[in-house]
Amino acid sequence: MDFRGASAEAVAALTEELKTAVSASPEAAAKAADTLFEVSQTFRSEAALRRFVTDASVPQEAKTGLVGEVFGGKVDATGLGIVESAVKHRWTHAGDLSDAIERLSEIAAVRSAGGEATRLADELFAVQQAVQETPELRDALSDPARTTDDKVALVDDLLGGKALPATVALTKQALAGTYRTASAALGEYQKVAAAVAGEGTAVVRVAAPLSEADTNRLAAALAKKYGREVHLNIVVDPEIVGGIKVSIGDDVIDGTISSRLDGAQRALAG
């Protein structure tokens, strides 16, 4: 989700408001996450409602009043308060409101993990890898013929009692179709988790598992290069042959043997 102009300013302000509202209680964060996701989906599907609450000519009192009428008594009060604040802001595009509230739901879900943020990031990455590497699972989660309830039950069967509640909740959110695929959604959630923790995130591909000392050295080197801590998602990939390949944002650091051989071949051919 890419926010610009007034929408970017609104998201920044609402993120700080959410942080203050749920910082004292992971349980409050989890309830707010559920509410914000539910509301985001309602705004996404109800175009008339979305247009009304994003219309700059409509008084703020009318917007918050309608939000209270539609959602009051049905959702968590903390999450509803964030929504009421959201409709008071200006938005660059009407559709940004739905995206912003969904992004806030993701942030709230991450905050519901409390001190388990690192475990959450690792679990989200593990689920993403399972979806990418298991065709049967990928097809089951993307099959339009299967109901959402059926897919949610599948997630519960796979992760229930084995993963953090925040991991389960975000994996279910990945089924909503906001992102291109469930795998893409899980990748975005990892970035959100890293951002909440003040970190970057990197995918590290190696031919064999790294030792703890090598992992720590790599993390320290990347932190120095990028000016912040970097969470490492390590993938053992036999195709690497040797060396290491690091992807962080749009940057790719390719120190694999195969890339060196390709470079040598190009040099010889040239």
Side-chain angles (χ1 to χ4, degrees):
M1 297 177 182
D2 184 23
F3 302 103
R4 300 180 183 277
S7 293
E9 295 174 6
V11 170
L14 290 165
T15 298
E16 287 302 309
E17 182 177 343
L18 175 65
K19 178 181 177 181
T20 300
V22 304
S23 60
S25 170
E27 292 76 14
K31 290 178 181 178
D34 289 343
T35 288
L36 291 166
F37 182 68
E38 179 181 340
V39 172
S40 74
Q41 298 310 294
T42 300
F43 280 149
R44 204 179 296 284
S45 61
E46 300 293 338
L49 175 62
R50 184 176 67 249
R51 283 195 297 269
F52 182 86
V53 296
T54 55
D55 187 340
S57 68
V58 175
Q60 291 184 354
E61 294 79 5
K63 296 178 183 181
T64 56
L66 181 58
V67 166
E69 287 181 18
V70 173
F71 300 107
K74 304 173 186 176
V75 296
D76 165 70
T78 300
L80 181 59
I82 298 297
V83 175
E84 289 174 340
S85 293
V87 300
K88 294 177 182 178
H89 283 275
R90 288 184 176 272
W91 297 93
T92 306
H93 304 289
D96 287 350
L97 176 64
S98 306
D99 288 344
I101 294 177
E102 184 166 345
R103 172 50 52 85
L104 292 167
S105 79
E106 297 162 10
I107 294 171
V110 169
R111 291 198 171 279
S112 75
E116 300 268 29
T118 298
R119 178 183 168 188
L120 173 62
D122 288 339
E123 288 184 352
L124 289 170
F125 181 68
V127 175
Q128 182 189 35
Q129 289 297 109
V131 172
Q132 290 177 342
E133 296 172 2
T134 311
E136 296 85 356
L137 176 59
R138 184 173 63 248
D139 292 345
L141 294 178
S142 61
D143 186 354
R146 300 186 69 159
T147 66
T148 299
D149 287 345
D150 188 23
K151 295 174 184 178
V152 166
L154 175 58
V155 171
D156 282 329
D157 288 343
L158 291 172
L159 302 179
K162 303 170 189 174
L164 291 169
T167 304
V168 178
L170 285 168
T171 302
K172 291 177 181 178
Q173 281 193 203
L175 304 174
T178 306
Y179 298 90
R180 183 171 49 84
T181 63
S183 178
L186 291 164
E188 287 299 312
Y189 301 160
Q190 291 165 52
K191 295 177 185 177
V192 173
V196 169
E199 299 177 336
T201 182
V203 176
V204 181
R205 296 187 178 275
V206 291
L210 295 177
S211 67
E212 182 177 353
D214 286 340
T215 300
N216 291 338
R217 277 196 292 271
L218 176 59
L222 290 172
K224 182 177 180 180
K225 177 178 175 64
Y226 290 98
R228 59 176 174 171
E229 296 299 312
V230 177
H231 182 83
L232 304 184
N233 293 318
I234 299 176
V235 179
V236 177
D237 184 354
E239 294 186 4
I240 292 297
V241 181
I244 186 170
K245 183 176 183 179
V246 179
S247 301
I248 179 166
D250 293 330
D251 292 348
V252 177
I253 304 168
D254 195 342
T256 60
I257 290 175
S258 59
S259 72
R260 296 172 194 166
L261 289 174
D262 288 342
Q265 289 174 342
R266 285 195 296 271
L268 290 171

